[in-house]
Amino acid sequence: MEQKDNCKSDSCGDHHSHQEHQPGPMDDPEEQAHFKSVVSAFFNYSVDAVRDVARMERDFSKIDPKYLKYLPADFRKSRLEKLKKAIVTNQQVLNLIVSDYQQLFEYDKLPNGMVALKPMFIKPTDIIKMRSTLKSFLRDWSSEGKREREMCYGPIIKEINEYFPVPVDPSTGERKSVLHPGSGLGRLVFDLALQGYKSQGNEFAYFMLLTSNFILNVTQSKDQYEVYPFIHHFSNLKTEDQAFLKVKFPDVCPNEAMTIDKEYDFSMVAGEFVEVYSKQEAQWDCVVTCFFLDTAHNVIEYIECIHKILKKGGLWVNIGPLLYHYAEQPNEIQLELSWEDIEKIIPQFGFEFRKKYWTDCVYTNDSQSMMQMTYNCIFFSAVKQ
Amino acid sequence: MEQKDNCKSDSCGDHHSHQEHQPGPMDDPEEQAHFKSVVSAFFNYSVDAVRDVARMERDFSKIDPKYLKYLPADFRKSRLEKLKKAIVTNQQVLNLIVSDYQQLFEYDKLPNGMVALKPMFIKPTDIIKMRSTLKSFLRDWSSEGKREREMCYGPIIKEINEYFPVPVDPSTGERKSVLHPGSGLGRLVFDLALQGYKSQGNEFAYFMLLTSNFILNVTQSKDQYEVYPFIHHFSNLKTEDQAFLKVKFPDVCPNEAMTIDKEYDFSMVAGEFVEVYSKQEAQWDCVVTCFFLDTAHNVIEYIECIHKILKKGGLWVNIGPLLYHYAEQPNEIQLELSWEDIEKIIPQFGFEFRKKYWTDCVYTNDSQSMMQMTYNCIFFSAVKQ
């Protein structure tokens, strides 16, 4: 996979492409500090996780032993040991993802030749994002996430295949181009590239960018690595084993699937969607938004940009709820529109709806949990007139 | 409804019973301060809510007007006006609930004879609880909550009716006694009392106690009052009208339903379940726990207490998930057990399961929302051997 435009290969750790240095977000000192804070959340994962284990140990020790005797004799020891082991496994994967950036941090050389990073403070919101990233492995790149992907990506792929049945023109070699802003760990971008489309992902979050780069460019074989995505919550478990679900990834290895004898057009671009794309007028055959519209401060600006960058006759495909990301952040602007409002705005920009229906999706879901969050999503496709 | 034991009539505002003063939680200065802080959240509701409206106004004003022209001309004005009107309606109801406690606070007399309370700081967690309380009106006392109650209370009532088909012994007049800790706004306690059972609710949260007292003792007719429970979130709306759903309550007025010519045994007790009941050995025919087990610091202590207070042959009926309430509070003890663990503990105390199955429930749910939280609950009944 190629990593380009606003994402310097230096900063995003791409090992497959070497472009010229273009001015990008990483030239901004504030952006560099932000990038470093995200990388530190990767390195510090186990420190924050072990703090939670210590709390659990403390709680066990504060409960009157007369109650604990109702549990199996090895209950406490067994849970804590499994937990610590799982944290180590997760940390090993996270270390690999950010291994290129260790030199950004102060560290001590230990007598055994290992290095120990100096303690860092990780923002609570970044700890949450780090743990969500672990669940995204399940969603995008594990066999356990298959049902979830079929619910979300299935209808999108079906619609694109129906509207653009020929990904590559056999005479000219020209490919239908699909842009997928908010591409997360990049599975849908990959699946579309594999079908022959010119497929580009765009992502704003370094947590996702670093991780997708690892999966797309570094992994070498199917099920090469494993993570424990659900060890951070012990609520709503039918069985304790649910918390220790081990997920292997990738279920399909991009480096194996994209054989050398065939060409693909597959790329990933870092940066905020409107900033990166608003000048690419009429350049795309298709834009895909999946759980993305609600990441906008102003969803109308997203609609404007999507309309602008599509070619005439181009297709916009959307699936998702409207869980506005900045709604709970008092210092951020958030325009919160209902679907009814958005549905009336889209045609005003010059779109004509092709399909439109409600469909249920889940997101990084533990299908065994006693708490099931289901998004009744709006699916639509719309053609630029 | 009678309000008794640990709940002084002074503190809980019961207008129907006048017991002797017994030592209770309200003799503790810390408890008094806590009670006062909850009451202040009622009085201050609109101040906190209007702050959110001001944010929405600010956000509208910061968005480039070229985007807002895609919305109906009166969109902004209409939404903000509806919102302010709904907040006033909610505040009127909340004022009635705590009207007895105005003298706890400093206030200014205005020239028009009205009073204005001095500004207060409300903890963010209390603002959230205040808004959740509004949604509980829907769950327990509105016709809109009927489906939700059928899912949660339906299986419980069915099981109690099956196990105790005769609520009142026709010869002795003795009633089968049902205790419902975590009774919230008291609908299930009321429904069981109406059937003739000796029905007692127990609740720890002043938000619930104050509000249930109002509904059970103060309301005089069906659909007498109205609230807007969903005005605090504009995410995941299919139509904006969803946010402005107006809910009338009570759908059944306790004062009307419990006719004077018939006797009932219906009471509510304030306080923490184990503290209040652990000495009432073998006094209850039935204990009902509904979305309650996970409120325990130590669920095994709850099981022990439930077993102790039941008569031999008495029935425990439970429905709920295991969303442990103290799991996210680092300074609180929280034992988090899976259902598999709990299922093995219950028989060790001397219970025999009678029924046991999984069933879906929702909790203060907007059935139209694009985000649907469903709890796959464990329902069980168990008999004390």
Side-chain angles (χ1 to χ4, degrees), chain B residues 250-263:
Chain B
D251 66 319
V252 175
C253 176
N255 273 319
E256 286 181 331
M258 293 194 161
T259 47
I260 293 193
D261 59 320
K262 215 178 148 188
E263 279 199 357

Side-chain angles (χ1 to χ4, degrees), chain B residues 267-278:
Chain B
S267 57
M268 198 67 86
V269 173
E272 196 279 323
F273 170 56
V274 176
E275 269 179 44
V276 175
Y277 289 95
S278 60

Side-chain angles (χ1 to χ4, degrees), chain A residues 55 58-60 62-63 66-67 70-71 75 79 233-240 298 300-301 304 320-324 326-330 332-341 345 348-349 358 370-376 378, chain B residues 55 58-60 62-63 66-67 70-71 75 79 233-240 298 300-301 304 320-324 326-330 332-341 345 348-349 358 370-376 378:
Chain A
R55 184 207 156 172
R58 181 207 67 183
D59 286 4
F60 274 126
K62 284 197 172 176
I63 286 172
K66 77 172 180 176
Y67 293 113
Y70 290 97
L71 290 165
F75 181 84
R79 182 196 277 190
H233 293 284
F234 280 78
S235 269
N236 288 313
L237 299 176
K238 290 181 180 171
T239 72
E240 179 146 323
N298 169 8
I300 310 177
E301 193 182 13
E304 177 189 55
L322 293 170
L323 180 58
Y324 290 106
Y326 296 106
E328 308 293 328
Q329 297 179 42
E332 298 280 357
I333 291 175
Q334 180 68 75
L335 179 64
E336 292 170 284
L337 300 182
S338 71
W339 165 245
E340 176 190 47
D341 302 323
I345 292 168
Q348 291 182 58
F349 275 95
W358 296 101
M370 296 167 84
M371 191 167 86
Q372 289 294 318
M373 180 77 88
T374 306
Y375 295 96
N376 190 227
I378 183 70
Chain B
R55 183 206 157 174
R58 180 207 69 184
D59 286 3
F60 274 125
K62 283 196 172 176
I63 286 172
K66 77 171 179 177
Y67 294 113
Y70 290 97
L71 290 165
F75 181 84
R79 182 196 277 190
H233 293 284
F234 280 78
S235 269
N236 289 312
L237 299 176
K238 291 181 179 172
T239 72
E240 179 146 322
N298 169 8
I300 310 177
E301 194 182 12
E304 176 189 54
L322 293 169
L323 180 57
Y324 290 106
Y326 296 106
E328 307 294 328
Q329 296 178 43
E332 299 280 357
I333 291 175
Q334 181 68 74
L335 178 65
E336 292 171 284
L337 300 182
S338 71
W339 165 244
E340 177 190 46
D341 302 323
I345 291 168
Q348 292 184 57
F349 274 95
W358 296 100
M370 296 167 84
M371 190 167 86
Q372 290 293 319
M373 180 76 90
T374 306
Y375 295 96
N376 190 227
I378 183 69

